[in-house]
Amino acid sequence: MNQAEIRKLIPAVRVAINAKHRKFSNPKGPEGRMMMLRKTVTELVKLERVELNYHRGDEARGYAERLIAMATKHGDRHIPTMEMANYWLTEKQLVHKLFKDCPR
């Protein structure tokens, strides 16, 4: 079989391929992992650019994109969006920055 024939067969495979589970080792357990991600998202909103290793950055990117999308879509008058921003941003003055800088 050549490369073209193999590419045709791949969509026909009916096996779910899950993403590779990431193991972030943290001595504080799952709570420590979430605190690490919260700090990363806070730094991303604060500095607007951070350099991380790929796995940590990719994990934090999903949370940051979701937070920015909700802030853009709903604005600061939407209570669930404000609660989510209060949870993810450890520095509370950045909540105002998040909603001010997001275009509506």
Side-chain angles (χ1 to χ4, degrees), residues 23-78:
K23 295 180 182 177
F24 292 124
S25 61
N26 196 312
K28 296 180 183 174
E31 293 85 12
R33 179 177 174 271
M34 289 307 293
M35 282 303 299
M36 177 193 66
L37 288 171
R38 287 175 67 193
K39 287 179 185 178
T40 304
V41 171
T42 300
E43 289 298 314
L44 181 61
V45 172
K46 182 179 181 180
L47 302 175
E48 298 177 3
R49 181 184 173 128
V50 292
E51 291 185 17
L52 305 165
N53 63 19
Y54 176 77
H55 298 294
R56 184 173 172 187
D58 189 43
E59 184 82 11
R61 183 183 74 186
Y63 295 114
E65 285 180 356
R66 171 92 185 245
L67 184 63
I68 292 169
M70 286 185 71
T72 304
K73 183 177 181 181
H74 299 293
D76 59 352
R77 303 223 188 264
H78 192 245

